[in-house]
Coordinates of all heavy atoms in Angstrom, one line a residue:
T178 N -22.3 0.6 -7.9 CA -21.6 1.1 -6.7 C -20.3 1.7 -7.0 O -19.9 2.8 -6.5 CB -21.4 -0.1 -5.7 OG1 -22.7 -0.7 -5.4 CG2 -20.7 0.3 -4.4
F179 N -19.5 1.1 -7.9 CA -18.2 1.7 -8.3 C -18.4 3.0 -9.1 O -17.7 4.0 -8.9 CB -17.4 0.7 -9.1 CG -16.7 -0.3 -8.3 CD1 -17.1 -1.6 -8.3 CD2 -15.5 0.0 -7.6 CE1 -16.5 -2.6 -7.5 CE2 -14.8 -0.9 -6.9 CZ -15.3 -2.2 -6.8
A180 N -19.4 3.0 -9.9 CA -19.7 4.2 -10.8 C -20.1 5.4 -9.9 O -19.7 6.5 -10.3 CB -20.8 3.8 -11.8
M181 N -20.8 5.1 -8.9 CA -21.2 6.2 -8.0 C -20.2 6.6 -7.0 O -20.3 7.6 -6.3 CB -22.5 5.8 -7.2 CG -23.7 5.7 -8.1 SD -25.2 5.4 -7.2 CE -24.9 3.9 -6.3
G182 N -19.0 5.9 -7.0 CA -17.9 6.3 -6.1 C -18.2 5.9 -4.7 O -17.5 6.5 -3.8
L183 N -19.0 4.9 -4.4 CA -19.3 4.5 -3.1 C -18.2 3.6 -2.5 O -18.1 3.4 -1.4 CB -20.7 3.8 -3.0 CG -21.8 4.7 -3.4 CD1 -23.1 3.9 -3.3 CD2 -22.0 5.9 -2.4
V184 N -17.4 3.1 -3.4 CA -16.3 2.2 -3.0 C -15.0 2.9 -3.4 O -14.8 3.4 -4.5 CB -16.3 0.8 -3.7 CG1 -15.1 0.0 -3.4 CG2 -17.6 0.1 -3.3
S185 N -14.1 3.0 -2.5 CA -12.8 3.7 -2.7 C -12.0 3.0 -3.8 O -12.0 1.8 -3.8 CB -12.0 3.8 -1.4 OG -12.7 4.6 -0.5
A186 N -11.3 3.8 -4.5 CA -10.3 3.2 -5.5 C -9.2 2.6 -4.7 O -8.9 3.0 -3.5 CB -9.8 4.3 -6.4
P187 N -8.4 1.7 -5.2 CA -7.3 1.0 -4.5 C -6.3 2.0 -3.9 O -5.9 1.8 -2.8 CB -6.7 0.1 -5.5 CG -7.8 -0.2 -6.5 CD -8.6 1.0 -6.5
A188 N -6.0 3.1 -4.7 CA -5.0 4.0 -4.1 C -5.5 4.7 -2.9 O -4.8 4.9 -1.9 CB -4.7 5.1 -5.2
Q189 N -6.8 5.1 -2.9 CA -7.4 5.7 -1.7 C -7.4 4.7 -0.5 O -7.2 5.0 0.6 CB -8.7 6.2 -2.0 CG -8.7 7.4 -2.9 CD -10.1 7.8 -3.4 OE1 -11.0 6.9 -3.5 NE2 -10.3 9.0 -3.7
A190 N -7.7 3.4 -0.9 CA -7.8 2.4 0.2 C -6.4 2.2 0.8 O -6.3 2.0 2.0 CB -8.3 1.1 -0.4
N191 N -5.4 2.2 0.0 CA -4.0 2.0 0.5 C -3.5 3.2 1.3 O -2.8 3.1 2.2 CB -3.1 1.5 -0.6 CG -3.4 0.1 -1.0 OD1 -3.8 -0.7 -0.2 ND2 -3.3 -0.1 -2.3
L192 N -3.9 4.4 0.9 CA -3.6 5.6 1.7 C -4.3 5.5 3.0 O -3.7 5.7 4.1 CB -4.0 6.9 1.0 CG -3.8 8.2 1.8 CD1 -2.4 8.4 2.2 CD2 -4.4 9.4 1.0
A193 N -5.5 5.1 3.0 CA -6.2 4.9 4.3 C -5.6 3.8 5.1 O -5.5 3.9 6.3 CB -7.7 4.5 4.0
L194 N -5.1 2.7 4.5 CA -4.4 1.7 5.2 C -3.1 2.2 5.8 O -2.8 1.9 7.0 CB -4.1 0.5 4.3 CG -3.5 -0.7 4.8 CD1 -4.4 -1.4 5.9 CD2 -3.2 -1.7 3.7
A195 N -2.4 3.0 5.1 CA -1.2 3.6 5.6 C -1.5 4.6 6.8 O -0.8 4.6 7.8 CB -0.4 4.4 4.5
Q196 N -2.5 5.3 6.7 CA -2.9 6.2 7.8 C -3.4 5.4 9.0 O -3.0 5.7 10.1 CB -4.1 7.2 7.3 CG -3.6 8.2 6.3 CD -4.7 8.9 5.6 OE1 -5.8 8.4 5.4 NE2 -4.4 10.1 5.1
K197 N -4.2 4.4 8.7 CA -4.7 3.6 9.8 C -3.6 2.9 10.6 O -3.7 2.7 11.9 CB -5.6 2.5 9.3 CG -6.1 1.5 10.2 CD -6.9 0.4 9.5 CE -7.1 -0.8 10.4 NZ -7.5 -2.0 9.7
N198 N -2.5 2.6 10.0 CA -1.4 1.9 10.6 C -0.2 2.8 11.0 O 0.9 2.3 11.3 CB -0.9 0.7 9.7 CG -1.9 -0.4 9.7 OD1 -2.1 -1.1 10.7 ND2 -2.7 -0.5 8.6
A199 N -0.5 4.1 11.0 CA 0.4 5.1 11.5 C 1.7 5.2 10.6 O 2.7 5.8 11.0 CB 0.8 4.9 12.9
C200 N 1.7 4.7 9.4 CA 2.8 4.8 8.5 C 3.1 6.3 8.2 O 4.3 6.7 8.0 CB 2.6 4.1 7.2 SG 2.2 2.3 7.4
M201 N 2.0 7.1 8.1 CA 2.1 8.5 7.7 C 2.7 9.4 8.8 O 3.1 10.5 8.5 CB 0.8 9.0 7.2 CG 0.1 8.2 6.1 SD 1.1 8.0 4.6 CE 1.0 9.6 3.9
A202 N 2.9 8.8 10.0 CA 3.6 9.5 11.0 C 5.1 9.7 10.7 O 5.7 10.7 11.1 CB 3.4 8.8 12.4
C203 N 5.6 8.8 9.9 CA 7.1 8.8 9.6 C 7.3 9.0 8.1 O 8.5 9.4 7.7 CB 7.8 7.6 10.1 SG 7.8 7.4 11.9
H204 N 6.3 8.7 7.3 CA 6.5 8.8 5.8 C 5.5 9.7 5.2 O 4.4 9.9 5.7 CB 6.3 7.4 5.2 CG 7.3 6.4 5.7 ND1 8.6 6.3 5.1 CD2 7.2 5.4 6.6 CE1 9.2 5.3 5.7 NE2 8.4 4.8 6.7
A205 N 5.9 10.3 4.1 CA 4.9 11.1 3.3 C 5.1 10.6 1.8 O 6.1 9.9 1.5 CB 5.3 12.6 3.4
V206 N 4.2 10.9 1.0 CA 4.2 10.5 -0.4 C 5.4 11.1 -1.1 O 6.1 10.5 -1.8 CB 2.9 10.8 -1.1 CG1 3.0 10.6 -2.6 CG2 1.7 10.0 -0.5
D207 N 5.6 12.4 -1.0 CA 6.5 13.2 -1.8 C 7.6 13.9 -1.1 O 8.4 14.7 -1.7 CB 5.8 14.1 -2.7 CG 5.0 15.1 -1.9 OD1 4.9 15.0 -0.7 OD2 4.4 16.0 -2.5
K208 N 7.8 13.7 0.2 CA 8.9 14.3 1.0 C 9.3 13.5 2.1 O 8.6 12.7 2.7 CB 8.5 15.7 1.5 CG 7.3 15.7 2.5 CD 6.9 17.1 2.8 CE 5.7 17.0 3.8 NZ 5.1 18.3 4.0
K209 N 10.6 13.6 2.4 CA 11.2 12.9 3.6 C 10.7 13.5 4.9 O 10.7 14.7 5.0 CB 12.7 13.0 3.5 CG 13.4 12.3 4.7 CD 14.9 12.4 4.6 CE 15.7 11.8 5.7 NZ 15.1 10.8 6.6
L210 N 10.2 12.6 5.8 CA 9.9 13.0 7.1 C 11.0 12.4 8.0 O 12.1 12.6 7.9 CB 8.5 12.6 7.5 CG 7.4 13.2 6.7 CD1 6.0 12.7 7.1 CD2 7.4 14.8 6.8
V211 N 10.6 11.5 8.9 CA 11.5 10.7 9.6 C 12.1 9.6 8.7 O 13.3 9.3 8.7 CB 10.8 10.0 10.8 CG1 11.8 9.1 11.6 CG2 10.3 11.1 11.8
G212 N 11.2 9.0 7.9 CA 11.6 8.0 6.9 C 11.5 8.6 5.5 O 11.1 9.7 5.3
P213 N 11.9 7.8 4.5 CA 12.0 8.3 3.2 C 10.6 8.6 2.6 O 9.6 8.0 3.1 CB 12.7 7.2 2.4 CG 12.4 6.0 3.2 CD 12.4 6.4 4.6
A214 N 10.5 9.4 1.6 CA 9.2 9.6 0.9 C 8.9 8.3 0.1 O 9.8 7.6 -0.4 CB 9.4 10.8 -0.1
Y215 N 7.6 8.0 0.0 CA 7.2 6.8 -0.7 C 7.7 6.9 -2.2 O 8.1 5.9 -2.7 CB 5.7 6.6 -0.7 CG 5.2 6.2 0.7 CD1 4.0 6.8 1.2 CD2 5.9 5.3 1.5 CE1 3.6 6.4 2.5 CE2 5.4 4.9 2.7 CZ 4.3 5.5 3.2 OH 3.8 5.1 4.4
Q216 N 7.7 8.0 -2.8 CA 8.1 8.2 -4.2 C 9.6 7.8 -4.3 O 10.1 7.3 -5.3 CB 7.8 9.5 -4.7 CG 6.3 9.8 -4.9 CD 6.0 11.2 -5.3 OE1 6.8 12.1 -5.3 NE2 4.7 11.3 -5.7
D217 N 10.4 8.2 -3.3 CA 11.9 7.8 -3.3 C 12.0 6.3 -3.1 O 12.9 5.7 -3.7 CB 12.6 8.6 -2.2 CG 12.7 10.1 -2.4 OD1 12.6 10.5 -3.6 OD2 12.9 10.8 -1.5
V218 N 11.2 5.7 -2.3 CA 11.3 4.2 -2.2 C 10.9 3.6 -3.5 O 11.6 2.6 -3.9 CB 10.3 3.8 -1.1 CG1 10.2 2.2 -1.0 CG2 10.7 4.4 0.3
A219 N 9.9 4.1 -4.2 CA 9.6 3.5 -5.5 C 10.7 3.6 -6.5 O 11.0 2.7 -7.2 CB 8.3 4.2 -6.0
K220 N 11.4 4.8 -6.5 CA 12.6 4.9 -7.4 C 13.7 4.0 -7.0 O 14.3 3.4 -7.9 CB 13.1 6.4 -7.3 CG 12.2 7.4 -7.9 CD 12.7 8.8 -7.7 CE 11.7 9.8 -8.1 NZ 12.1 11.2 -7.7
K221 N 14.0 3.8 -5.7 CA 15.0 2.9 -5.3 C 14.8 1.5 -5.8 O 15.7 0.8 -6.2 CB 15.2 3.0 -3.8 CG 16.4 2.1 -3.3 CD 16.6 2.3 -1.8 CE 17.8 1.5 -1.4 NZ 18.3 2.0 -0.1
Y222 N 13.6 1.0 -5.7 CA 13.2 -0.4 -6.0 C 12.8 -0.6 -7.5 O 12.6 -1.7 -7.9 CB 12.1 -0.9 -5.1 CG 12.5 -1.2 -3.7 CD1 12.5 -0.2 -2.7 CD2 12.9 -2.5 -3.3 CE1 12.9 -0.5 -1.4 CE2 13.3 -2.8 -2.0 CZ 13.3 -1.8 -1.1 OH 13.6 -2.1 0.2
A223 N 12.8 0.5 -8.3 CA 12.3 0.4 -9.6 C 13.1 -0.6 -10.4 O 14.4 -0.7 -10.3 CB 12.4 1.8 -10.3
G224 N 12.4 -1.5 -11.2 CA 13.1 -2.5 -12.0 C 13.5 -3.7 -11.3 O 14.0 -4.7 -12.0
Q225 N 13.4 -3.8 -10.0 CA 13.7 -5.0 -9.3 C 12.6 -6.0 -9.3 O 11.5 -5.7 -8.9 CB 14.1 -4.7 -7.8 CG 15.4 -3.8 -7.7 CD 15.8 -3.6 -6.3 OE1 15.5 -4.4 -5.4 NE2 16.4 -2.5 -6.1
K226 N 12.8 -7.2 -9.8 CA 11.8 -8.2 -9.9 C 11.2 -8.6 -8.6 O 10.0 -8.9 -8.5 CB 12.3 -9.5 -10.6 CG 12.7 -9.2 -12.0 CD 13.3 -10.5 -12.6 CE 13.7 -10.2 -14.1 NZ 14.4 -11.4 -14.7
D227 N 11.9 -8.6 -7.5 CA 11.4 -9.1 -6.2 C 11.1 -7.9 -5.3 O 11.1 -8.0 -4.1 CB 12.4 -10.0 -5.6 CG 13.8 -9.4 -5.3 OD1 14.0 -8.3 -5.9 OD2 14.5 -10.0 -4.5
A228 N 10.9 -6.7 -5.9 CA 10.7 -5.5 -5.1 C 9.5 -5.6 -4.1 O 9.6 -5.2 -2.9 CB 10.5 -4.3 -6.0
V229 N 8.4 -6.2 -4.6 CA 7.2 -6.3 -3.7 C 7.6 -7.2 -2.5 O 7.3 -6.8 -1.3 CB 6.0 -6.8 -4.4 CG1 4.8 -7.1 -3.5 CG2 5.5 -5.8 -5.5
A230 N 8.2 -8.3 -2.7 CA 8.6 -9.2 -1.7 C 9.6 -8.6 -0.7 O 9.4 -8.7 0.5 CB 9.1 -10.5 -2.2
Q231 N 10.6 -7.9 -1.2 CA 11.5 -7.2 -0.4 C 10.9 -6.1 0.5 O 11.2 -6.1 1.7 CB 12.6 -6.6 -1.2 CG 13.7 -7.5 -1.7 CD 14.8 -6.8 -2.4 OE1 14.9 -5.5 -2.4 NE2 15.7 -7.5 -3.1
L232 N 10.1 -5.3 -0.1 CA 9.5 -4.2 0.7 C 8.5 -4.7 1.7 O 8.4 -4.2 2.8 CB 8.9 -3.2 -0.3 CG 8.4 -1.9 0.4 CD1 9.5 -1.2 1.2 CD2 7.9 -0.9 -0.6
T233 N 7.7 -5.8 1.3 CA 6.8 -6.4 2.2 C 7.5 -6.9 3.4 O 7.1 -6.7 4.6 CB 6.0 -7.5 1.5 OG1 5.3 -7.0 0.4 CG2 5.0 -8.2 2.5
A234 N 8.7 -7.6 3.2 CA 9.5 -8.1 4.3 C 10.0 -6.9 5.2 O 10.0 -7.0 6.4 CB 10.6 -8.9 3.8
S235 N 10.4 -5.8 4.5 CA 10.9 -4.7 5.3 C 9.8 -4.1 6.2 O 10.1 -3.7 7.3 CB 11.5 -3.6 4.4 OG 12.7 -4.1 3.8
I236 N 8.6 -4.0 5.6 CA 7.5 -3.5 6.4 C 7.2 -4.4 7.6 O 7.1 -3.9 8.7 CB 6.3 -3.3 5.5 CG1 6.5 -2.2 4.5 CG2 5.0 -3.0 6.4 CD1 5.4 -2.2 3.4
K237 N 7.2 -5.7 7.4 CA 6.9 -6.6 8.5 C 8.0 -6.7 9.5 O 7.7 -6.7 10.7 CB 6.6 -8.0 7.9 CG 5.3 -8.1 7.1 CD 4.1 -8.2 7.9 CE 4.0 -9.5 8.6 NZ 2.8 -9.7 9.4
K238 N 9.2 -6.7 9.1 CA 10.4 -7.0 10.0 C 11.1 -5.7 10.5 O 11.9 -5.8 11.4 CB 11.4 -7.8 9.3 CG 10.9 -9.2 8.9 CD 11.9 -10.0 8.1 CE 11.4 -11.3 7.7 NZ 12.3 -12.0 6.8
G239 N 10.8 -4.6 9.8 CA 11.5 -3.3 10.1 C 12.8 -3.3 9.5 O 13.1 -4.3 8.7
G240 N 13.6 -2.3 9.7 CA 14.9 -2.3 9.1 C 15.7 -1.1 9.5 O 15.2 -0.2 10.2
S241 N 17.0 -1.1 9.2 CA 17.8 0.0 9.5 C 19.0 0.1 8.5 O 19.4 -1.0 7.9 CB 18.4 -0.1 10.9 OG 19.2 -1.2 11.1
G242 N 19.5 1.3 8.3 CA 20.7 1.4 7.5 C 20.4 1.6 6.0 O 21.3 2.1 5.3
K243 N 19.2 1.4 5.5 CA 18.9 1.6 4.1 C 18.7 3.0 3.8 O 18.9 3.5 2.7 CB 17.6 0.8 3.7 CG 17.8 -0.7 3.7 CD 16.5 -1.4 3.4 CE 16.6 -2.9 3.5 NZ 15.3 -3.6 3.3
W244 N 18.1 3.8 4.7 CA 17.7 5.2 4.5 C 18.3 6.1 5.5 O 17.8 7.3 5.6 CB 16.2 5.3 4.5 CG 15.6 4.5 3.4 CD1 15.1 3.2 3.5 CD2 15.4 4.9 2.1 NE1 14.6 2.8 2.3 CE2 14.8 3.8 1.4 CE3 15.7 6.1 1.4 CZ2 14.5 3.9 0.0 CZ3 15.4 6.1 0.0 CH2 14.8 5.0 -0.7
G245 N 19.3 5.7 6.3 CA 19.9 6.6 7.3 C 19.9 5.9 8.6 O 19.7 4.7 8.8
A246 N 20.2 6.7 9.7 CA 20.4 6.2 11.0 C 19.2 5.7 11.8 O 19.2 4.9 12.6 CB 21.2 7.2 11.8
V247 N 18.0 6.3 11.4 CA 16.8 6.0 12.2 C 16.2 4.7 11.7 O 15.8 4.6 10.5 CB 15.8 7.2 12.0 CG1 14.5 6.9 12.8 CG2 16.4 8.5 12.5
P248 N 16.1 3.7 12.6 CA 15.5 2.5 12.1 C 14.0 2.5 12.0 O 13.3 3.3 12.7 CB 15.9 1.5 13.3 CG 16.0 2.4 14.5 CD 16.5 3.7 14.0
M249 N 13.5 1.7 11.1 CA 12.0 1.6 11.0 C 11.6 0.4 11.8 O 12.1 -0.7 11.7 CB 11.6 1.3 9.5 CG 10.1 1.3 9.3 SD 9.5 1.1 7.6 CE 9.2 -0.7 7.6
P250 N 10.6 0.7 12.8 CA 10.2 -0.4 13.6 C 9.4 -1.5 12.9 O 8.8 -1.2 11.9 CB 9.3 0.3 14.7 CG 8.9 1.5 14.0 CD 10.0 1.9 13.0
P251 N 9.5 -2.7 13.3 CA 8.7 -3.8 12.6 C 7.2 -3.6 12.8 O 6.8 -3.1 13.8 CB 9.2 -5.0 13.3 CG 9.7 -4.6 14.6 CD 10.2 -3.2 14.4
Q252 N 6.5 -4.0 11.8 CA 5.0 -3.9 11.8 C 4.5 -5.3 11.8 O 3.7 -5.7 10.9 CB 4.5 -3.1 10.6 CG 5.1 -1.7 10.4 CD 4.8 -0.9 11.6 OE1 3.6 -0.8 12.1 NE2 5.8 -0.1 12.1
A253 N 4.9 -6.1 12.8 CA 4.6 -7.5 12.9 C 3.1 -7.8 13.0 O 2.7 -8.9 12.5 CB 5.4 -8.1 14.0
A254 N 2.4 -6.9 13.6 CA 0.9 -7.1 13.7 C 0.2 -6.9 12.4 O -1.0 -7.3 12.3 CB 0.4 -6.2 14.8
L255 N 0.8 -6.3 11.5 CA 0.1 -6.1 10.2 C 0.0 -7.4 9.4 O 1.0 -8.2 9.4 CB 1.0 -5.1 9.4 CG 0.5 -4.4 8.1 CD1 -0.7 -3.5 8.5 CD2 1.5 -3.6 7.5
S256 N -1.1 -7.7 8.9 CA -1.3 -8.9 8.1 C -0.4 -8.9 6.9 O 0.0 -7.9 6.4 CB -2.8 -9.1 7.7 OG -3.1 -8.2 6.6
D257 N -0.1 -10.1 6.4 CA 0.7 -10.3 5.2 C 0.1 -9.6 4.1 O 0.7 -8.9 3.3 CB 1.0 -11.7 4.9 CG 1.9 -12.4 5.9 OD1 2.6 -11.7 6.7 OD2 2.0 -13.6 6.0
A258 N -1.3 -9.7 3.9 CA -2.0 -9.1 2.8 C -1.9 -7.6 2.9 O -1.7 -7.0 1.9 CB -3.4 -9.6 2.8
D259 N -2.1 -7.0 4.1 CA -2.0 -5.6 4.2 C -0.6 -5.1 3.9 O -0.4 -4.0 3.3 CB -2.5 -5.1 5.6 CG -4.0 -5.1 5.7 OD1 -4.7 -5.4 4.7 OD2 -4.5 -4.9 6.9
A260 N 0.4 -5.8 4.4 CA 1.8 -5.4 4.2 C 2.1 -5.4 2.7 O 2.7 -4.5 2.1 CB 2.8 -6.3 4.9
Q261 N 1.6 -6.5 2.0 CA 1.8 -6.6 0.6 C 1.1 -5.5 -0.2 O 1.6 -4.9 -1.2 CB 1.4 -7.9 0.0 CG 1.8 -8.1 -1.4 CD 1.5 -9.5 -1.9 OE1 1.1 -10.4 -1.2 NE2 1.8 -9.8 -3.2
A262 N -0.1 -5.2 0.2 CA -0.9 -4.1 -0.4 C -0.2 -2.7 -0.2 O -0.1 -2.0 -1.2 CB -2.3 -4.0 0.2

Side-chain angles (χ1 to χ4, degrees):
T178 301
F179 279 105
M181 291 188 300
L183 298 176
V184 176
S185 296
Q189 293 171 329
N191 290 323
L192 174 59
L194 186 61
Q196 291 169 331
K197 173 184 164 196
N198 288 286
C200 303
M201 304 306 284
C203 294
H204 298 277
V206 171
D207 58 355
K208 63 184 175 189
K209 178 181 176 22
L210 297 178
V211 175
Y215 289 140
Q216 291 175 348
D217 292 338
V218 175
K220 288 176 191 172
K221 181 174 184 165
Y222 284 90
Q225 295 183 28
K226 292 179 183 175
D227 61 346
V229 172
Q231 281 186 6
L232 189 54
T233 300
S235 289
I236 292 168
K237 292 282 289 184
K238 296 176 185 174
S241 63
K243 293 180 186 175
W244 297 95
V247 179
M249 185 175 98
Q252 304 300 315
L255 193 64
S256 73
D257 290 343
D259 283 352
Q261 185 172 2

